[in-house]
Amino acid sequence: QKEVEQDPGPLSVPEGAIVSLNCTYSNSAFQYFMWYRQYSRKGPELLMYTYSSGNKEDGRFTAQVDKSSKYISLFIRDSQPSDSATYLCAMSGANFGNEKLTFGTGTRLTIIP
Amino acid sequence: NAGVTQTPKFQVLKTGQSMTLQCAQDMNHEYMSWYRQDPGMGLRLIHYSVGAGITDQGEVPNGYNVSRSTTEDFPLRLLSAAPSQTSVYFCASKRGNVPYEQYFGPGTRLTVT
């Protein structure tokens, strides 16, 4: 079993819809939870991060972490065609000397105009 | 500020050939990493470095070699290319003590025939 599981999709939704992307994990030591966005033929870029449990909002994006269920989510409101990309969740422990991130496989999202 | 740069962008190798993928960053980051990205497998860590002169193995190190003689550069060497090494390779860097904010390069698409 992988430490981080992510539904690969693909996921297609109409413009303006609310999108929900999710990951589950098994390692209780994870404390930092990240979402990266990767456009086609580009490198991943950090979208949002959350430390420990709770919610974090940034414009149309909301990240949620439920450590009791080992489940994280990314919500995109008022989705736009420019949001079409692959979204990767990533996680890390709180040991600052540990630079390793564990990634999900990514969910490919297409927003249909 | 160029961020993380990688060369070449594309490469085709024959089985058994060797080559070096170049990676450089101009952000004075201590940590640098190499990942490979394959369909359905997500990003897998090959090797990483926590500073000049210090390297360590990641999840899939076999067939690859690294060195870190300067803070800026972190080349990845393929010793004897195999078709299983056909992949997209990403170099990444981050500041020390910041587990979440990893900057990725644009990637190198490698095909081994």
Side-chain angles (χ1 to χ4, degrees):
Chain A
Q1 183 189 3
K2 292 181 182 178
E3 276 191 302
V4 178
E5 298 278 359
Q6 183 175 9
D7 187 340
L11 182 62
S12 295
V13 301
E15 183 176 353
I18 296 175
V19 176
S20 172
L21 304 169
N22 311 294
C23 289
T24 59
Y25 64 95
S26 58
N27 189 341
S28 299
F30 288 147
Q31 295 284 350
Y32 285 91
F33 303 90
M34 287 72 75
W35 287 96
Y36 281 80
R37 179 174 61 195
Q38 184 176 22
Y39 290 115
S40 180
R41 296 184 175 265
K42 302 287 187 183
E45 56 180 353
L46 180 67
L47 189 60
M48 295 182 69
Y49 79 93
T50 309
Y51 175 70
S52 195
S53 282
N55 294 356
K56 188 171 186 178
E57 189 172 320
D58 184 1
R60 297 184 293 109
F61 298 88
T62 299
Q64 287 186 350
V65 175
D66 181 348
K67 292 189 72 180
S68 63
S69 302
K70 296 189 176 66
Y71 189 87
I72 71 169
S73 301
L74 177 71
F75 296 97
I76 307 174
R77 292 183 300 280
D78 188 24
S79 55
Q80 303 294 311
S82 59
D83 296 327
S84 297
T86 295
Y87 290 80
L88 301 120
C89 63
M91 306 179 189
S92 173
N95 176 5
F96 288 138
N98 176 10
E99 64 85 45
K100 298 176 192 176
L101 300 185
T102 302
F103 285 86
T105 52
T107 299
R108 183 183 293 180
L109 173 67
T110 301
I111 308 299
I112 304 166
Chain B
N1 195 337
V4 180
T5 58
Q6 291 183 239
T7 56
K9 285 187 168 53
F10 302 94
Q11 184 70 48
V12 179
L13 288 179
K14 293 189 188 307
T15 298
Q17 287 184 318
S18 63
M19 77 160 294
T20 299
L21 279 63
Q22 301 292 344
C23 174
Q25 51 93 7
D26 61 359
M27 298 173 282
N28 202 30
H29 288 170
E30 299 94 330
Y31 295 95
M32 296 187 74
S33 309
W34 275 102
Y35 294 86
R36 58 178 290 172
Q37 187 173 38
D38 304 289
M41 304 294 288
L43 284 162
R44 292 184 291 169
L45 183 65
I46 304 171
H47 285 285
Y48 66 99
S49 168
V50 300
I54 306 170
T55 64
D56 206 347
Q57 296 180 350
E59 182 185 354
V60 287
N62 292 341
Y64 307 95
N65 205 354
V66 292
S67 60
R68 183 108 179 262
S69 56
T70 66
T71 300
E72 295 78 19
D73 300 299
F74 190 42
L76 177 73
R77 296 183 190 83
L78 277 69
L79 309 172
S80 177
S84 61
Q85 293 178 305
T86 294
S87 187
V88 182
Y89 291 86
F90 289 101
C91 179
S93 74
K94 71 172 193 72
R95 286 183 290 143
N97 297 344
V98 181
Y100 49 85
E101 196 165 26
Q102 191 150 228
Y103 293 85
F104 285 84
T108 295
R109 290 183 172 271
L110 176 68
T111 300
V112 182
T113 61

